[in-house]
Amino acid sequence: MRLIVPLQGVVQGRGGLFVGSLIPCCLFYFLQLYLKRRRSPPPPDSDSTELPRTSSRSSLFTRGNSIGRVRVSSRAAPLAKPPDSPYYIGLDRVKTDPYHRVTNRDGIIQLGLAESTLCFDLLQRWMSENLMESLMMQSDVDGGFDVSSIAMYQPFEGLLEVRVAFADFMSRIMGGNVSFDPSNMVITAGGTPAVEVLAFCLADHGNAFLIPSPYYPGFDRDIKFRTGVELIPVHCRSSDNFTVTVSALEQALSQARKRGSKVSGILFSNPSNPVGNILSRETLHAILSFAQEKNIHVISDEIFAGSVYGDKEFVSMAEVAASGDFDKSRVHIIYGLSKDLSLPGFRTGVIYSFHEDVVSAAKKLMRFCSMPVPVQRILISLLSDTRFIEEYMAAHRQRIRDKHFLFVEGLKQLGIPCAESGGGLYCWVDMSSLLTSYSEKGELELFEKLLSVAKINATPGTACYCIEPGWFRCCFTALADEDIPVIMERIKLLAESSTS
Amino acid sequence: MTRTEPNRSSKSDSENSGGGGGGTTAMRVIVPLQGVVQGRGGLFLGSVIPCAFFYFLQFYLKRNRKNEPDSGEPSPDSDPSSGSPDPTRSQSVGNLTELASLPRSLSRILLSPRLSGGAVSVSGRAGCVIKGGDSPYHVGQKRVEEDPYDESGNPDGVIELGSAHNTKMDWVSEDPGEAISDGLCMSGIASYEPCHGLIELKTAVAGFMSEATKNSVSFDPTQLVLTSGAASAIEILSFCLADSGNAFLVPTPCSPGYDRDVKWRTGVDLIHVPCRSADNFNISMLVLDRAFYQAKKRGVRIRGVIISNPWNPTGTLLSRENLYALLDFARERNIHIISNEVFAGSVHDEGGEFVSMAEVVDTEENVDRERVHIIYDLSKDLSFPGLRTAAIYSFNESVLSASRKLTTLSPVSSPTQHLLISAISSPKFVQRFVKTNRERLMRVYAELVKALKELGIECTRSSGGFFCWVDMRGFMSSYSEKGEIELWNKLLNIGKINVIPGSCCHCIEPGWFRLCFSNLSERDVPVVMNRIRKVCETCKSQN
């Protein structure tokens, strides 16, 4: 009853009115005093403490010279600054001085961007033969060009024809064991918007996804930027060949929950980016049953599904989900043509979801990133040309396999091993022997040396949140065969200079 | 039993406080506590009263919530938007029942994912998006999709006068082969290219924009960022200029798309500033100012004002004085201006002078220029909505560099870029295109206004854009939003024309409709008029 003593004083009228008001006032005064004392140390050296408060600094800076300047939002301010991830730094540096076999032999060689030029000849041939026809849909009436077929507003989520074509294409490259329903499909302007839209639909601001690391460094920007969704890396190790285990997921989830963040799903890429390994059917089963147990979503990024060149079979998450043991509605798949058809310029992405609400929300969000109709027209005829697709996919796989062999073999001769991989346009190289110190700092030093001395842009593992230092992602599919010796020579020189 | 108890206790309490000596009315508040303290059986009352209050509160809340599950329960198996119709609205046809579920949208979302038991739920904000599209705007569009009018094939279909696209131009068909094959060579379209636009395209777009503004101002290509469509341009700007929870002022009637473009993903709010027919729907700085202060009082931070010029939906042009006043207002309050000039190339009134915000700030200091951001839509003025290409033109370096990075999330594909470069690089083509576009719009507009006048229907003078703002107040059964939706419903179901009711544009006065004429040919005008006449007659006979 001691707590209500002041009130008792008031009520009983025994001079308590005075005491009853004095006590709260005193308490308030002491509280203020206490707070003030705790806060007082900073002011004397306020100049030096300005640094850590980054968000306020950016706003000070824009206000800077003239008072009347208008500010941008605080969430846009970090965007306006130059990037700090080595992934983007490297990409930017290559732009300033790109290598060219003839005109700029001393330029920086790009191993940081997962694009493929291996089958341009085939695409070139198809485009020159069919492009005009596909674009100029023959009008039924007079056989002339019907502009309204490409010019008018069309459904944002993609024409039905294009979705049907995608469903066929995807099931073809994913081994034919799984069929996709066009009505569960939303076509987007690129894989990047597809990831963002899914993140927006599955998680609220402040929620998190678990993501086995090392992971694709672009996710940081694509997902966190606008949606406010956090990514919690689940560390995988070289001893498991960087394959995620359920116990690691379990641990990360319980840690996240302890910290009070709500985990909405698991995001992973298969074939994995940057390692290039392929998840087995058992692993997919384990992940999905884990998700079911915890009632969270599963996002499988299968954008490299058609770039599998190893002996291991690729299994789509859609196939596992359709096996009947699971609640499908938590499974969402991302696909795109930038990698498998080497058409990054087309900005083609697909969201495939078994959850009705996700599909309908994504359809509406497509007003921000829909695919232009002319591009859809080209894709319809490209993807429906099954003879060409068969030929292309076979060549695509074969040529990656050859190039991968050349590249890995070259590194092996230098004594540099690579992780075992079976898919993707890159390999995951263990350069720990070149590190001056086995730490993140040592790795970034090596990255810098590779970039400025050897003039090679490879993505360091820290950008991918790899916990073991010394790993680098090297994309080899945009290289010509004769470039590979050049790269090996450059790495060799670097290795020699660092050991001497 | 429980009901009588509070009465009794309050009686005894008042006695107590009277006996206590220090009894004032203010003390009644703490009477239960007094009971506890003084120990005269008060311990019992002191605990029963709060418990009873709590019980009644729960009871009250429960009763109020009961209605929602009733209408929400059928949703999982059937179409969620068509929940059980309210008996009071049963006279209205199909679409109106869909609208009946509108106001309760927020709470319903929260319920529906939960209803399915152990199933995994989508994010709350995605729920808002799913339910977001039930306004008359979308209902009308859906109807048009299901049953579109065709002069020969489906003469009874619904005529689309709702969405602002233009079928006047057929530029691609003039020399499609050349335009496209020039652009599409393999090396150009297949590799990664800057998402925010090649410099060649930016130069071409800057040239096109200058031409559209009659060369009164030249645009700097380096200040352009291209995005996939005006919706994403507005979204990116909202993201860059305002934080979640901040707001923009929007004079209304405004474009119905802002609700989605600005609010859905950025968390930015819109504060509508009503303009009235008495002022011919012109913006008054006084009202703007008042809205600013009211928002400030409520603790909402205003980061900018969104205007459109030519005005969507009224079609009026903002005068130079108006623009200067807006700039002064923005300077004084230190906020941004987003000027939506997507219809700049579609000014069809010969007497009207279109002044771009870029021209107004051209002579200003840097400090002022940095607050101005312009949105331009190529697919509107080129009559090629399928292209989905728009541009942000800003003087603010931070906004530009942030927007450039954000365009990876709504990129313009390379084939589109090359197609556009080859299409609009020729100044001669651009000149001829803009001129023909204007002439055709002018002809249909004149025809339409004349025909409406014959029916006794007035509209505000539209000088630009694809629409006019029609006053149908006389035909409403009641002067209210309900009357407006009823009339809209009649136009859609009886007249079979899809127009946009003013409530979608947040117009404060009921009875105004936005009517897009850009996809009509002059031959269609009499058909539309016949249908409107039919609706008007049914309205009059009812009155």
Side-chain angles (χ1 to χ4, degrees):
Chain A
M1 252 175 234
R2 292 197 179 186
L3 284 177
I4 41 169
V5 163
L7 287 167
Q8 186 183 14
V10 180
V11 169
Q12 294 182 340
R14 288 184 281 144
L17 194 64
F18 174 69
V19 179
S21 47
L22 191 66
I23 294 172
C25 287
C26 286
L27 282 178
F28 190 59
Y29 171 75
F30 283 119
L31 181 71
Q32 281 193 312
L33 190 74
Y34 172 73
L35 288 176
K36 200 176 173 187
R37 289 195 82 182
R38 289 206 63 184
R39 210 183 292 153
S40 56
D45 51 352
S46 60
D47 293 33
S48 62
T49 51
E50 246 180 43
L51 258 167
R53 289 178 296 160
T54 39
S55 66
S56 59
R57 267 200 28 139
S58 64
S59 47
L60 268 173
F61 173 75
T62 38
R63 214 185 279 163
N65 30 20
S66 67
I67 304 154
R69 273 182 83 172
V70 70
R71 281 189 285 166
V72 299
S73 68
S74 52
R75 53 185 174 186
L79 281 185
K81 283 187 224 148
D84 52 3
S85 159
Y87 175 65
Y88 292 108
I89 294 173
L91 292 182
D92 286 351
R93 281 280 285 282
V94 175
K95 272 181 217 156
T96 59
D97 182 20
Y99 170 82
H100 190 278
R101 221 160 294 132
V102 185
T103 54
N104 189 12
R105 295 193 60 86
D106 287 334
I108 303 174
I109 299 179
Q110 175 70 288
L111 298 177
L113 195 61
E115 65 173 335
S116 165
T117 51
L118 298 178
C119 294
F120 263 18
D121 53 334
L122 297 179
L123 281 173
Q124 177 83 63
R125 197 191 68 210
W126 187 89
M127 294 284 171
S128 58
E129 281 168 10
N130 302 298
L131 189 63
M132 293 310 298
E133 243 170 82
S134 61
L135 208 51
M136 304 295 127
M137 287 277 290
Q138 299 290 309
S139 161
D140 303 334
V141 190
D142 46 12
F145 169 64
D146 180 13
V147 71
S148 65
S149 69
I150 56 171
M152 299 307 292
Y153 269 119
Q154 308 279 1
F156 282 126
E157 72 267 22
L159 301 166
L160 182 63
E161 296 101 300
V162 89
R163 282 181 283 143
V164 170
F166 259 104
D168 286 349
F169 177 73
M170 281 167 69
S171 106
R172 184 182 297 269
I173 60 161
M174 292 180 187
N177 298 328
V178 54
S179 65
F180 292 89
D181 178 359
S183 59
N184 286 345
M185 194 178 267
V186 177
I187 309 288
T188 70
T192 310
V195 178
E196 194 201 24
V197 165
L198 264 186
F200 184 88
C201 293
L202 302 182
D204 278 308
H205 196 279
N207 294 358
F209 287 139
L210 297 180
I211 177 164
S213 75
Y215 63 80
Y216 166 56
F219 278 150
D220 269 341
R221 198 181 260 192
D222 305 348
I223 294 176
K224 292 182 188 168
F225 250 9
R226 294 202 292 195
T227 64
V229 174
E230 296 295 322
L231 295 179
I232 299 176
V234 180
H235 296 298
C236 304
R237 293 171 185 279
S238 55
S239 52
D240 307 330
N241 198 31
F242 298 102
T243 308
V244 69
T245 58
V246 169
S247 63
L249 286 172
E250 191 103 38
Q251 200 183 349
L253 183 72
S254 68
Q255 271 174 7
R257 287 195 171 155
K258 235 176 254 167
R259 275 183 284 124
S261 59
K262 190 190 165 215
V263 173
S264 314
I266 308 169
L267 166 65
F268 60 89
S269 41
N270 181 26
S272 106
N273 183 1
V275 180
N277 52 11
I278 295 169
L279 296 180
S280 64
R281 197 181 290 268
E282 291 72 42
T283 313
L284 294 174
H285 257 280
I287 292 175
L288 190 52
S289 51
F290 170 76
Q292 183 140 332
E293 188 191 321
K294 306 293 178 191
N295 196 21
I296 55 179
H297 292 275
V298 173
I299 306 173
S300 174
D301 170 14
E302 302 183 353
I303 203 156
F304 291 101
S307 306
V308 173
Y309 51 82
D311 309 323
K312 236 174 136 186
E313 174 208 25
F314 170 81
V315 181
S316 168
M317 198 59 170
E319 193 181 330
V320 176
S323 65
D325 310 338
F326 299 103
D327 165 27
K328 285 195 282 189
S329 68
R330 68 185 73 248
V331 174
H332 317 277
I333 288 161
I334 292 165
Y335 188 65
L337 296 181
S338 307
K339 315 294 180 186
D340 287 353
L341 268 187
S342 322
L343 289 174
F346 274 53
R347 311 266 170 206
T348 318
V350 176
I351 297 172
Y352 188 82
S353 170
F354 292 99
H355 198 297
E356 221 174 279
D357 287 347
V358 172
V359 174
S360 83
K363 275 181 187 173
K364 290 187 178 172
L365 290 174
M366 280 310 116
R367 63 188 279 102
F368 301 116
C369 48
S370 61
M371 188 193 285
V373 182
V375 179
Q376 292 189 38
R377 288 284 169 210
I378 299 175
L379 287 178
I380 291 170
S381 36
L382 177 64
L383 295 180
S384 339
D385 187 347
T386 48
R387 235 187 53 211
F388 171 76
I389 292 293
E390 289 287 335
E391 183 194 350
Y392 175 88
M393 289 318 297
H396 181 64
R397 288 190 173 133
Q398 184 58 44
R399 290 178 192 184
I400 303 178
R401 187 178 300 136
D402 295 348
K403 195 74 76 185
H404 176 256
F405 178 77
L406 268 181
F407 194 81
V408 171
E409 201 56 29
L411 286 171
K412 205 183 265 172
Q413 279 167 14
L414 297 178
I416 298 173
C418 295
E420 198 188 314
S421 63
L425 309 176
Y426 36 72
C427 53
W428 187 235
V429 185
D430 179 8
M431 299 211 193
S432 53
S433 57
L434 303 182
L435 294 182
T436 47
S437 69
Y438 189 73
S439 66
E440 192 182 314
K441 198 171 145 249
E443 183 185 289
L444 288 177
E445 270 171 23
L446 180 59
F447 165 70
E448 188 51 45
K449 260 193 276 177
L450 278 171
L451 199 55
S452 24
V453 183
K455 299 221 164 183
I456 291 173
N457 174 38
T459 311
T462 42
C464 309
Y465 295 84
C466 183
I467 45 166
E468 297 178 16
W471 293 89
F472 282 79
R473 186 185 81 159
C474 299
C475 305
F476 51 78
T477 46
L479 300 174
D481 284 351
E482 57 264 39
D483 293 338
I484 292 180
V486 180
I487 295 168
M488 296 309 151
E489 192 57 32
R490 288 182 180 192
I491 295 180
K492 199 171 153 196
L493 279 175
L494 186 78
E496 280 163 4
S497 73
S498 62
T499 48
S500 62
Chain B
M1 188 57 199
T2 41
R3 255 167 221 274
T4 52
E5 206 135 278
N7 290 340
R8 228 197 299 157
S9 62
S10 70
K11 210 185 286 170
S12 65
D13 283 337
S14 59
E15 275 166 27
N16 288 344
S17 61
T24 58
T25 46
M27 258 174 226
R28 287 193 186 195
V29 180
I30 42 169
V31 162
L33 286 168
Q34 187 183 11
V36 179
V37 168
Q38 293 179 341
R40 285 187 283 147
L43 192 64
F44 173 68
L45 291 178
S47 46
V48 165
I49 295 173
C51 287
F53 272 127
F54 189 61
Y55 170 76
F56 282 117
L57 180 72
Q58 282 192 310
F59 186 65
Y60 171 77
L61 287 177
K62 198 176 176 187
R63 286 198 88 179
N64 272 16
R65 214 183 294 151
K66 227 174 182 170
N67 298 336
E68 282 158 21
D70 280 350
S71 60
E73 245 145 26
S75 59
D77 41 330
S78 65
D79 179 8
S81 61
S82 65
S84 69
D86 207 335
T88 52
R89 307 205 188 210
S90 54
Q91 83 279 11
S92 54
V93 212
N95 298 302
L96 200 57
T97 57
E98 281 177 52
L99 290 174
S101 63
L102 247 178
R104 285 177 293 145
S105 53
L106 243 178
S107 51
R108 277 193 30 144
I109 300 148
L110 294 174
L111 277 170
S112 62
R114 220 182 284 155
L115 279 171
S116 42
V120 68
S121 62
V122 299
S123 68
R125 49 187 180 186
C128 294
V129 171
I130 296 168
K131 304 283 162 170
D134 292 342
S135 70
Y137 183 77
H138 298 96
V139 175
Q141 264 180 357
K142 213 190 284 167
R143 282 290 297 279
V144 175
E145 268 167 41
E146 285 160 11
D147 181 21
Y149 170 80
D150 187 88
E151 205 182 335
S152 49
N154 186 12
D156 286 334
V158 182
I159 300 182
E160 171 69 313
L161 299 172
S163 74
H165 57 83
N166 188 350
T167 54
K168 300 266 98 47
M169 298 309 295
D170 40 9
W171 55 275
V172 192
S173 53
E174 285 180 14
D175 49 2
E178 201 184 318
I180 294 165
S181 61
D182 277 5
L184 299 185
C185 66
M186 201 45 215
S187 60
I189 54 179
S191 53
Y192 276 106
E193 280 177 347
C195 300
H196 51 85
L198 299 164
I199 189 66
E200 294 95 319
L201 178 57
K202 288 183 179 176
T203 314
V205 171
F208 189 79
M209 285 165 75
S210 301
E211 182 60 41
T213 53
K214 299 193 174 151
N215 293 320
S216 52
V217 55
S218 68
F219 292 87
D220 179 354
T222 58
Q223 286 170 224
L224 275 172
V225 175
L226 299 187
T227 71
S228 64
S232 58
I234 294 172
E235 191 190 39
I236 287 174
L237 273 183
S238 313
F239 186 87
C240 291
L241 303 181
D243 282 304
S244 174
N246 296 162
F248 289 126
L249 295 176
V250 188
T252 59
C254 64
S255 158
Y258 289 158
D259 285 334
R260 284 159 288 154
D261 302 345
V262 177
K263 285 156 93 171
W264 266 3
R265 294 205 294 190
T266 66
V268 176
D269 221 345
L270 292 177
I271 292 178
H272 297 121
V273 183
C275 304
R276 288 164 187 286
S277 56
D279 311 327
N280 205 18
F281 295 105
N282 274 329
I283 318 171
S284 127
M285 291 304 136
L286 226 67
V287 185
L288 215 54
D289 223 30
R290 202 185 306 143
F292 183 87
Y293 277 108
Q294 272 170 0
K296 208 172 169 187
K297 231 185 264 168
R298 279 187 287 128
V300 177
R301 185 147 179 222
I302 302 284
R303 302 300 290 254
V305 51
I306 305 180
I307 54 166
S308 55
N309 185 21
W311 199 267
N312 182 358
T314 60
T316 46
L317 302 175
L318 294 181
S319 67
R320 203 176 287 268
E321 293 73 42
N322 247 330
L323 292 175
Y324 272 112
L326 270 166
L327 194 61
D328 288 340
F329 170 75
R331 181 188 301 138
E332 224 169 277
R333 311 283 169 237
N334 196 21
I335 56 174
H336 294 270
I337 296 180
I338 298 177
S339 179
N340 182 353
E341 303 186 356
V342 297
F343 295 106
S346 307
V347 176
H348 51 77
D349 186 352
E350 281 192 326
E353 183 207 19
F354 170 76
V355 186
S356 167
M357 204 66 197
E359 190 187 337
V360 171
V361 292
D362 213 25
T363 51
E364 298 287 322
E365 290 173 58
N366 250 344
V367 182
D368 274 333
R369 284 155 53 138
E370 278 184 2
R371 67 179 82 250
V372 170
H373 317 277
I374 293 167
I375 290 165
Y376 187 73
D377 192 350
L378 278 159
S379 40
K380 283 270 182 343
D381 275 348
L382 276 178
S383 327
F384 204 147
L387 264 188
R388 303 207 172 107
T389 311
I392 296 171
Y393 185 76
S394 169
F395 296 90
N396 191 322
E397 201 38 62
S398 311
V399 170
L400 285 174
S401 79
S403 311
R404 273 181 210 127
K405 289 181 190 158
L406 287 176
T407 49
T408 51
L409 300 165
S410 43
V412 184
S413 63
S414 306
T416 315
Q417 295 199 33
H418 288 281
L419 191 72
L420 274 171
I421 292 174
S422 53
I424 62 176
S425 289
S426 140
K428 230 174 76 191
F429 165 76
V430 170
Q431 263 172 27
R432 198 183 43 173
F433 177 84
V434 172
K435 197 162 152 259
T436 349
N437 188 25
R438 283 195 172 126
E439 280 167 5
R440 293 187 189 184
L441 285 172
M442 194 161 57
R443 275 208 304 274
V444 182
Y445 173 69
E447 191 84 12
L448 189 78
V449 170
K450 205 178 83 194
L452 281 172
K453 205 166 252 170
E454 281 167 15
L455 291 179
I457 300 172
E458 293 289 331
C459 46
T460 60
R461 179 175 164 165
S462 163
S463 310
F466 301 160
F467 28 69
C468 50
W469 188 233
V470 185
D471 176 9
M472 301 186 89
R473 284 179 289 186
F475 302 101
M476 289 193 297
S477 54
S478 69
Y479 186 73
S480 66
E481 200 181 311
K482 196 169 151 248
E484 181 181 288
I485 295 293
E486 257 173 44
L487 179 56
W488 171 77
N489 230 357
K490 273 186 210 158
L491 284 167
L492 187 60
N493 292 312
I494 301 171
K496 294 219 169 180
I497 57 175
N498 178 35
V499 293
I500 307 249
S503 55
C504 280
C505 307
H506 299 280
C507 184
I508 196 172
E509 297 177 18
W512 293 85
F513 288 84
R514 188 182 88 168
L515 200 153
C516 290
F517 53 80
S518 52
N519 32 3
L520 292 180
S521 71
E522 282 149 65
R523 265 181 314 177
D524 297 330
V525 172
V527 184
V528 174
M529 287 310 134
N530 275 336
R531 294 184 175 196
I532 293 181
R533 183 179 297 124
K534 209 161 77 187
V535 175
C536 293
E537 276 158 10
T538 60
C539 290
K540 270 180 192 146
S541 64
Q542 270 175 16
N543 292 353

